[in-house]
């Protein structure tokens, strides 16, 4: 899927198998800041201070709640690590890439700074 397709798409309830390793690598090419690590896709976002970090976390929480696909978050003073995987498929799915693209779009807009 292209970046535009990921941004326009929405998460769906999924069952079955995770994406194959080759497909994960292909999709990571669309989202170059993301890495495949520990069974998920992860990215660290940097901020000016704690307030901006928390503002991003709150805005991201609203987006992923609408998608019904929630990440693991590691929140620090001036950064937040976001990790997506799909429990229902036991690995990485297209939903993870949809939400990752939306997280990147949020970060690019910087409405919280």
């Amino acid at each position: 899927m292209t970046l535009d397709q990921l941004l326009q798409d929405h998460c769906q309830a999924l069952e079955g198998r995770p994406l194959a390793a080759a497909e994960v690598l292909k999709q990571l090419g669309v989202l170059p800041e993301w890495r495949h690590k520990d069974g998920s896709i992860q990215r660290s976002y940097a901020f000016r201070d704690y307030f901006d970090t928390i503002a991003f976390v709150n805005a991201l929480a609203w987006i992923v709640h609408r998608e019904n696909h929630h990440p693991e978050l590691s929140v620090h003073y001036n950064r937040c690590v976001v990790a997506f995987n799909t429990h229902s498929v036991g690995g990485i799915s297209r939903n993870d890439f949809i939400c990752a693209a939306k997280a990147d779009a949020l970060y690019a807009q910087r409405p919280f700074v």
Side-chain angles (χ1 to χ4, degrees), residues 38-56:
D38 299 330
S40 65
I41 57 170
Q42 300 181 16
R43 178 176 176 185
S44 181
Y45 295 95
F47 302 96
R48 179 180 55 197
D49 56 26
Y50 188 73
F51 181 82
D52 290 348
T53 304
I54 295 302
F56 173 81

Side-chain angles (χ1 to χ4, degrees), residues 63-80:
I63 290 168
V64 298
H65 180 72
R66 282 189 324 167
E67 295 296 335
N68 195 27
H69 193 69
H70 307 96
E72 295 290 326
L73 300 174
S74 179
V75 180
H76 307 270
Y77 174 77
N78 62 349
R79 68 184 172 92
C80 178

